[in-house]
Amino acid sequence: MDMLTPDRSNAIAAPPAVDRGRRRFPWRGLLSIILLFGALAGLAAWWLRGPLIATARITRGTAAEIVYATGAVEPETWSRSTPLVRGRIVERCRCEGKLVKAGDVLARLDDKEALATLNDLRAQEEFQRLEFERQTQLLARGAATSQAYQRSESDLARIRAQIAAQTQRLDYFKLVAPMDGVVLKEDGEVGDMVDPGTILYRVGLEKPLWVVADVNEEDIPRVQVGQKALLRADAFGNQALPGTVKQITPAGDPVAKTFRVRIGLPDNTPLRVGMSVEANIVSRETGDTLLAPANAVVNNSLMVIDGGRVHRRAVRIGIRGSAAVEILDGAREGELVAAPATADIKDGERIRVIEPETSVP
């Protein structure tokens, strides 16, 4: 019996033996380490180059100490016209912007009731006059007593005094121009009921003008007559208009804690009566001096930039303005300083700068 021989051509070959003595080099781990060190180096370089700060340069110019005030434009010579009694307007001149003379009638109030009272007093006067004449004749004939005569005389005098007072009161129903000038403003319409003290007319001279401004009491010692002022009004944008301090009120307002200052205007000023104005009174001024931005000076020191680092330097300060500060000592023209000098800037640290676009005015 023949024995079957297995077909070795279909047998599965065994895998080759692994050579455990050979190991692969860890490229991935090395690459990660290189990238990590690169990131750390970049971070260190970024950190060491310092923060980015804004800067400005020390310049030379004019330093001015300013006293701020607010006020309104008024004529230097003008007056108000107000009624002395309560009444209804029945007539008005409609003369705003026109020339008037002192005593010209500007408006009338309803005086019918006052006229009726005057007519009644005059009727009483006639009666008392006849009574006085009768008592005079009776006294002459001895038919009347002196007391009756004197009483009649007194009653007549009283009525005549009342007539004079009522006649004078009738003038209160007329508003007249208090001076020669131009009617600067006219208020009220026919039919309006007005009270005593209501300003209906403003009469004055169109020139010269001045600004009547209020200055805080802590600033008034720095204000003197003759100082120049720079004025700004909304109607003229950022245009600085000239003025000169002409008067300072001797007594201040204890409630508002202000003093009144009058700033004279040139005849060619574009400002008009009634405009609101902001005034910068120049109390002290120094020309051709070193200036640093106001936000660069902190605790009488500057953060000066030199060689890519910032150094705190003490300086001597002169005039302090809202935009710039006068540097009397401790700085040189053209030096670069941190502006603003913020609290996070450390003395001696490395920094990056933003070059200034403009210089300090």
Side-chain angles (χ1 to χ4, degrees), residues 3 18 48 72 80 98 122 129 176 184-185 194 211 213 249-250 266-268 277 306 311 313 343 357:
M3 296 182 63
V18 177
L48 291 175
R80 304 173 179 88
K98 297 180 181 179
R122 285 173 175 167
R129 185 184 64 80
V176 299
L184 303 171
K185 191 175 182 182
V194 294
V211 174
T249 183
D267 286 343
N268 61 351
V277 172
D306 185 20
H311 305 281
R313 185 191 299 170
E357 295 182 0

Side-chain angles (χ1 to χ4, degrees), residues 280-332:
N280 288 324
I281 301 171
V282 182
S283 61
R284 192 156 56 106
E285 190 173 28
T286 303
D288 193 26
T289 187
L290 291 179
L291 299 176
N295 61 0
V297 182
V298 178
N299 297 327
N300 291 341
S301 65
L302 294 171
M303 302 300 289
V304 183
I305 299 164
D306 185 20
R309 293 183 180 273
V310 64
H311 305 281
R312 184 179 300 277
R313 185 191 299 170
V315 293
R316 190 158 60 93
I317 302 301
I319 295 175
R320 290 181 179 269
S322 59
V325 176
E326 181 186 15
I327 306 298
L328 299 177
D329 189 29
R332 298 186 303 274

Side-chain angles (χ1 to χ4, degrees), residues 2-331:
D2 294 336
M3 296 182 63
L4 296 177
T5 302
D7 186 359
R8 298 188 181 275
S9 61
N10 295 328
I12 299 176
V18 177
D19 186 0
R20 298 187 180 274
R22 298 175 60 190
R23 298 180 178 271
R24 293 184 179 180
F25 191 81
W27 293 106
R28 293 183 179 178
L30 180 60
L31 182 59
S32 298
I33 293 173
I34 292 174
L35 292 176
L36 177 60
F37 275 103
L40 291 175
L43 181 62
W46 179 85
W47 180 264
L48 291 175
R49 68 177 181 170
L52 185 66
I53 64 172
T55 60
R57 293 195 180 275
I58 302 297
T59 59
R60 189 170 290 276
T62 300
E65 185 178 70
I66 299 298
V67 173
Y68 179 77
T70 58
V73 180
E74 294 182 3
E76 288 192 16
T77 305
W78 71 295
S79 182
R80 304 173 179 88
S81 182
T82 66
L84 299 177
V85 294
R86 189 172 189 271
R88 190 179 304 279
I89 299 175
V90 295
E91 182 182 333
R92 59 194 292 260
C93 66
R94 299 192 180 278
C95 50
E96 195 170 70
K98 297 180 181 179
L99 287 169
V100 292
K101 296 290 185 180
D104 288 352
V105 176
L106 303 177
R108 295 180 185 275
L109 304 182
D110 187 359
D111 59 357
K112 292 179 181 178
E113 185 176 346
L115 279 173
T117 300
L118 179 61
N119 292 332
D120 181 63
L121 289 173
R122 285 173 175 167
Q124 295 181 45
E125 178 196 23
E126 180 64 16
F127 174 80
Q128 290 297 335
R129 185 184 64 80
L130 294 175
E131 177 62 19
F132 174 70
E133 290 177 355
R134 189 175 71 85
Q135 290 295 331
T136 300
Q137 295 173 1
L138 292 175
L139 182 63
R141 295 197 303 266
T145 63
S146 59
Q147 290 85 355
Y149 170 80
Q150 292 173 357
R151 184 168 56 251
S152 175
E153 184 181 31
S154 175
D155 289 342
L156 179 59
R158 176 176 55 81
I159 290 298
R160 285 176 173 173
Q162 291 178 350
I163 290 174
Q166 187 64 15
T167 302
Q168 179 65 39
R169 189 171 184 271
L170 280 174
D171 290 338
Y172 297 165
F173 291 83
K174 295 185 296 183
L175 273 75
V176 299
M179 59 176 288
D180 294 351
V182 176
V183 178
L184 303 171
K185 191 175 182 182
E186 181 180 18
D187 292 315
E189 293 292 340
V190 172
D192 289 350
M193 183 67 71
V194 294
D195 293 316
T198 303
I199 301 174
L200 297 181
Y201 290 87
R202 292 168 173 83
V203 180
L205 303 181
E206 293 183 291
K207 302 288 182 180
L209 303 177
W210 59 15
V211 174
V212 180
D214 292 325
V215 175
N216 290 335
E217 62 180 18
E218 63 266 23
D219 294 327
I220 200 64
R222 296 188 285 147
V223 180
Q224 302 293 331
V225 172
Q227 291 173 340
K228 71 177 183 180
L230 300 176
L231 311 172
R232 297 186 187 278
D234 291 340
F236 302 101
N238 293 325
Q239 183 180 357
L241 304 172
T244 305
V245 176
K246 296 190 69 173
Q247 290 183 11
I248 303 172
T249 183
D253 185 337
V255 177
K257 299 185 182 300
T258 58
F259 279 75
R260 184 170 297 162
V261 175
R262 290 178 169 87
I263 302 170
L265 301 175
D267 286 343
N268 61 351
T269 181
L271 294 172
R272 297 186 179 184
V273 174
M275 283 186 173
S276 58
V277 172
E278 292 182 337
N280 288 324
I281 301 171
V282 182
S283 61
R284 192 156 56 106
E285 190 173 28
T286 303
D288 193 26
T289 187
L290 291 179
L291 299 176
N295 61 0
V297 182
V298 178
N299 297 327
N300 291 341
S301 65
L302 294 171
M303 302 300 289
V304 183
I305 299 164
D306 185 20
R309 293 183 180 273
V310 64
H311 305 281
R312 184 179 300 277
R313 185 191 299 170
V315 293
R316 190 158 60 93
I317 302 301
I319 295 175
R320 290 181 179 269
S322 59
V325 176
E326 181 186 15
I327 306 298
L328 299 177
D329 189 29

